[in-house]
Amino acid sequence: SATAIRRELSALANGKKAESSARFFKCGKGEYGEGDLFLGLTVPQVREVAKRHSGASLPELSALLHDPVHECRSLALMILA
């Protein structure tokens, strides 16, 4: 389920990388990525989780696509692609 996938991604969270990603993607007030949230995962980490959940249903992926967390949206797009 989307909740299980979110939990799995959250278990891999890295606060320092999340802060760095938020700066890189300009997520501060008035910047183009304002409001985007990060867990601080690397792309290979997200890909590994995506592989384990490649059979996720479209409603589950839709829920992840609407998630405020960047890595959740990325994972959903990886599975759809």
Side-chain angles (χ1 to χ4, degrees), residues 7-72:
R7 270 197 300 262
E8 192 170 340
L9 290 172
S10 293
L12 300 170
N14 180 320
K16 287 192 183 270
K17 282 189 187 234
E19 288 177 26
S20 176
S21 294
R23 278 193 307 276
F24 180 81
F25 286 101
K26 309 278 189 229
C27 296
K29 182 130 177 94
E31 295 178 320
Y32 72 88
E34 183 177 353
D36 207 5
L37 303 174
F38 291 86
L39 295 173
L41 277 62
T42 63
V43 172
Q45 287 176 305
V46 177
R47 282 190 186 129
E48 282 300 315
V49 176
K51 284 180 193 176
R52 288 193 290 275
H53 296 280
S54 63
S57 69
L58 285 177
E60 291 169 335
L61 294 175
S62 179
L64 292 170
L65 282 172
H66 291 92
D67 197 283
V69 175
H70 178 87
E71 289 89 348
C72 290

